[in-house]
Amino acid sequence: MIHPHLPSTESVVGAIRAIADEHRLEVEVTHDIGADRTSRRTSAGVGTVLDPDGSLPHEAYVELGGSPSVAVRVHSEDDAQITVDGVQFDDVPRDHVPAFLRSLYGGLAHVKGRRFPPGWWLVVPLPGDETYKELVLLGALTPWMSARVRNGKG
């Protein structure tokens, strides 16, 4: 069950839409509502809408147009999965999603690494001390990522 201090799926989607509007990006949203429709409820029987605790799970999948390609799956728990040009950031707290996207579209996100030995990381710093960092697979640097490479330690 979602705790009262955590943002709802709909409020996170609203924040994503506002950021997309600021950056003139197209947005496509798909809502999955009910235990039999959400990605983490695979054991729920067909037609099972409520979780055992009586809550109604609500998940959303948001695709943003433009470059980089960005998709956000807002889980019915307190986290989200953000994929940037094929690089997947799992377990991002819901309340960090807006700051993550602002960092991404505000030019703070960058790729850090070395050519030899090879190692590239997509780094998304948030206000404060929070930073998200994921490995970019060999050969998976997109033009958007290549334009944001900073050499140094990975």
Side-chain angles (χ1 to χ4, degrees):
M1 178 174 229
I2 299 296
H3 297 91
H5 69 280
L6 297 173
S8 69
T9 297
E10 199 56 46
S11 67
V12 174
V13 170
I16 294 170
R17 284 184 191 276
I19 292 166
D21 286 348
E22 289 172 25
H23 295 277
R24 295 181 175 92
L25 301 170
E26 290 186 25
V27 180
E28 285 188 36
V29 181
T30 304
H31 293 274
D32 291 316
I33 300 173
D36 61 342
R37 302 280 315 265
T38 58
S39 66
R40 292 186 175 167
R41 306 300 198 288
T42 55
S43 63
V46 174
T48 304
V49 177
L50 300 177
D51 276 343
D53 67 0
S55 64
L56 180 65
H58 176 194
E59 184 173 281
Y61 181 75
V62 183
E63 288 183 289
L64 297 159
S67 182
S69 68
V70 176
V72 182
R73 179 169 300 281
V74 182
H75 294 291
S76 54
E77 294 82 16
D78 62 351
D79 68 322
Q81 176 189 74
I82 303 173
T83 306
V84 180
D85 271 358
V87 177
Q88 192 169 295
F89 293 82
D90 291 315
D91 305 319
V92 176
R94 282 181 181 214
D95 57 348
H96 289 189
V97 171
F100 186 105
L101 295 177
R102 287 189 193 290
S103 177
L104 188 67
Y105 293 118
L108 297 176
H110 59 276
V111 174
K112 211 167 189 181
R114 302 178 293 261
R115 291 190 192 277
F116 299 104
W120 299 99
W121 295 86
L122 178 53
V123 180
V124 183
L126 273 55
D129 291 336
E130 191 72 38
T131 298
Y132 291 92
K133 184 168 129 175
E134 286 294 333
L135 181 66
V136 178
L137 297 178
L138 189 63
L141 279 180
T142 64
W144 181 86
M145 284 189 248
S146 293
R148 283 152 185 82
V149 169
R150 295 182 188 171
N151 292 320
K153 287 188 168 184

